[in-house]
């Protein structure tokens, strides 16, 4: 009797060696702000949220987590700068590890994407510039976010901000995370320094590409020195215009960073595709991330608008080692299983992305009913 034909290989579901981490598949939970950490403290309901999406040998990246009390710009986003934060994260991390997952904490500072209401003592937000951000329509398409003109940080203050990232990385490891991802994307502080349409400094942190990337690379070095380069990643979006933060030569910027990161031997570089779209932002660019992928020596994660087919092609064509999914993983806690079966995906509900509800649009998306 003829044997059955072997099942076709699904590239996204093949194993991947990520330094000391043995991944069973290449589907990554992208960092997703959910605004359910009341008072900047991670909450018990996050235990279920993250553990639902954890699989043995699967990589999860946490929502963006503030490195200091000046890092905030949104309601109820988590922090990692106090002992209370560390203790609150521990049971969440433990729940992911109990499922066999690998969990990285994304650490961030929003910079000028803030206002005095989020800042200690009502002070102005800090940035590389004193150029303000115009009011922005929020992702729900209704509300308007107001921003305060930022204060340009002095060069002698920058080491303290670098140290905030270093201490946040140490705290993340104390909380049990397997590593950290530095948020260098989407118009926040690290990105503000890199992009020439925001950074108008004339000192050693502005002007040339090398100078604009000085602060980001100082953060990378400090974090890598603190916890070990093999436990550090960074997310970059050289092509994006989010929060009025863009660069006149994004390909050059992306290549410079990819090459410069090699000096520090970090674990991975996580880049957002130029085709990345949101309802409020349309970014089209004929360039791709392939040159950056080739330039960077570590593992390469891509994100931005991928579906199952796109992700499989990216891995099969060696354009990426791993593919991060945001909205689809949010709405499908069993996304790797659905990709395995090529099953229909739950639709995501944008109106519940950023609510404070501990259940609705958070832990109530259904799993597949698989009959064994």
């Amino acid at each position: 009797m003829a044997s059955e034909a072997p099942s076709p290989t699904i590239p996204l579901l093949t194993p991947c060696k990520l330094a000391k981490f043995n991944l069973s598949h290449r589907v990554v939970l992208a960092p997703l702000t959910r605004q359910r950490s009341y008072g900047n403290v991670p909450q018990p309901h996050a235990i279920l949220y993250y553990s639902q999406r954890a699989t043995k040998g699967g990589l999860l990246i946490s929502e963006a987590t503030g490195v200091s009390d000046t890092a905030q710009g949104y309601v109820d986003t988590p922090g990692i700068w106090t002992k209370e934060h560390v203790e609150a994260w521990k049971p969440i991390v433990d729940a992911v590890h109990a499922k066999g997952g690998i969990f990285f904490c994304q650490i961030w500072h929003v910079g000028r994407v803030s206002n005095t209401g989020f800042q200690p003592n009502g002070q102005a937000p800090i940035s590389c510039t004193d150029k303000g951000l115009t009011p922005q329509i929020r992702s729900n398409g209704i509300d308007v976010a107001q921003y305060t003109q930022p204060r340009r940080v002095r060069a002698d203050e920058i080491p303290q901000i670098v140290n905030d990232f270093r201490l946040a990385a140490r705290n993340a490891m104390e909380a049990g995370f397997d590593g950290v991802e530095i948020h260098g994307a989407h118009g926040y502080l690290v990105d503000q320094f890199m992009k020439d349409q925001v950074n108008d400094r004339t000192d050693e942190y502005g002007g040339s590409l090398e100078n604009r990337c000085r602060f980001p690379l100082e953060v990378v070095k400090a974090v890598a020195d603190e916890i070990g380069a093999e436990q550090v990643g960074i997310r970059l979006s050289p092509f994006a215009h989010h929060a009025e933060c863009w660069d006149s030569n994004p390909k050059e910027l992306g290549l410079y960073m990819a090459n410069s990161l090699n000096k520090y031997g970090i674990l991975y570089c996580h880049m957002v595709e130029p085709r990345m779209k949101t309802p409020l932002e349309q970014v089209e660019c004929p360039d791709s991330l392939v040159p950056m992928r080739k330039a960077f020596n570590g593992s390469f994660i891509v994100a931005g608008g991928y579906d199952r087919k796109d992700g499989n092609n990216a891995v099969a064509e060696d354009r990426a080692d791993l593919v991060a999914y945001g909205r689809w993983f949010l709405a499908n806690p069993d996304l790797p299983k659905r990709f395995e079966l090529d099953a229909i995906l739950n639709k995501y509900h944008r109106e519940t992305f950023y609510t404070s509800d501990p259940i609705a649009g958070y832990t109530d998306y259904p799993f597949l009913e698989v009959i064994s």
Side-chain angles (χ1 to χ4, degrees), residues 14-82:
T14 56
C16 179
K17 182 77 171 172
L18 194 66
K20 66 180 181 180
F21 305 110
N22 295 308
L23 304 186
S24 60
H25 60 79
R26 299 165 188 259
V27 181
V28 178
L29 174 67
L32 298 166
T33 291
R34 302 309 313 273
Q35 294 185 245
R36 289 163 167 87
S37 295
Y38 311 140
N40 305 129
V41 179
Q43 297 295 306
H45 46 247
I47 296 171
L48 179 58
Y49 172 73
Y50 282 109
S51 65
Q52 281 180 334
R53 288 155 183 79
T55 55
K56 184 174 183 177
L59 175 61
L60 280 65
I61 305 170
S62 82
E63 59 209 282
T65 302
V67 300
S68 71
D69 59 357
T70 70
Q72 306 306 302
Y74 300 88
V75 173
D76 295 334
T77 54
I80 193 71
W81 74 89
T82 72

Side-chain angles (χ1 to χ4, degrees), residues 208-255:
S208 68
L209 182 58
E210 179 182 4
N211 282 354
R212 285 184 279 116
C213 293
R214 188 182 306 278
F215 168 67
L217 294 172
E218 286 178 351
V219 170
V220 169
K221 182 180 187 305
V223 171
D225 286 349
E226 179 66 32
I227 67 171
E230 72 284 356
Q231 297 174 131
V232 178
I234 189 169
R235 195 179 211 210
L236 302 171
S237 60
F239 296 94
H241 292 202
H242 190 72
E244 298 176 359
C245 189
W246 57 283
D247 195 82
S248 61
N249 194 335
K251 185 173 182 179
E252 182 184 28
L253 172 61
L255 274 172

Side-chain angles (χ1 to χ4, degrees), residues 235-349:
R235 195 179 211 210
L236 302 171
S237 60
F239 296 94
H241 292 202
H242 190 72
E244 298 176 359
C245 189
W246 57 283
D247 195 82
S248 61
N249 194 335
K251 185 173 182 179
E252 182 184 28
L253 172 61
L255 274 172
Y256 180 85
M257 283 299 292
N259 280 300
S260 298
L261 290 169
N262 289 332
K263 176 181 177 182
Y264 306 102
I266 64 171
L267 180 64
Y268 71 76
C269 181
H270 180 182
M271 281 210 183
V272 181
E273 285 282 359
R275 67 182 178 181
M276 179 251 189
K277 299 181 181 70
T278 71
L280 308 176
E281 173 186 47
Q282 300 293 319
V283 178
E284 294 291 349
C285 182
D287 295 304
S288 75
L289 302 181
V290 171
M292 293 78 163
R293 195 284 197 273
K294 291 181 177 178
F296 182 65
N297 292 338
S299 297
F300 201 74
I301 305 175
V302 295
Y306 281 85
D307 59 17
R308 180 182 185 271
K309 179 181 178 182
D310 293 336
N312 279 325
N313 288 342
V315 172
E317 295 165 11
D318 198 31
R319 290 184 280 113
D321 297 298
L322 303 127
V323 181
Y325 290 87
R327 292 164 292 179
W328 292 121
F329 219 150
L330 178 157
N332 296 271
D334 52 356
L335 188 64
K337 174 58 71 173
R338 289 179 189 256
F339 280 173
E340 177 186 345
L341 302 175
D342 200 9
I344 294 174
L345 301 182
N346 298 325
K347 294 180 180 179
Y348 50 82
H349 306 299

Side-chain angles (χ1 to χ4, degrees), residues 190-218:
V190 174
D191 203 27
Q192 289 160 31
F193 270 87
M194 282 188 281
K195 302 280 180 68
D196 62 13
Q197 299 305 299
V198 175
N199 188 336
D200 57 357
R201 302 176 73 95
T202 57
D203 61 7
E204 65 268 36
Y205 289 96
S208 68
L209 182 58
E210 179 182 4
N211 282 354
R212 285 184 279 116
C213 293
R214 188 182 306 278
F215 168 67
L217 294 172
E218 286 178 351

Side-chain angles (χ1 to χ4, degrees), residues 100-135:
I102 296 147
F103 203 8
F104 272 51
C105 181
Q106 190 192 62
I107 54 176
W108 76 335
H109 193 300
V110 301
R112 69 175 185 164
V113 188
S114 186
N115 61 52
T116 54
F118 290 104
Q119 296 300 311
N121 304 314
Q123 65 193 36
I126 60 172
S127 181
C128 61
T129 181
D130 57 10
K131 290 188 295 186
L133 188 61
T134 58

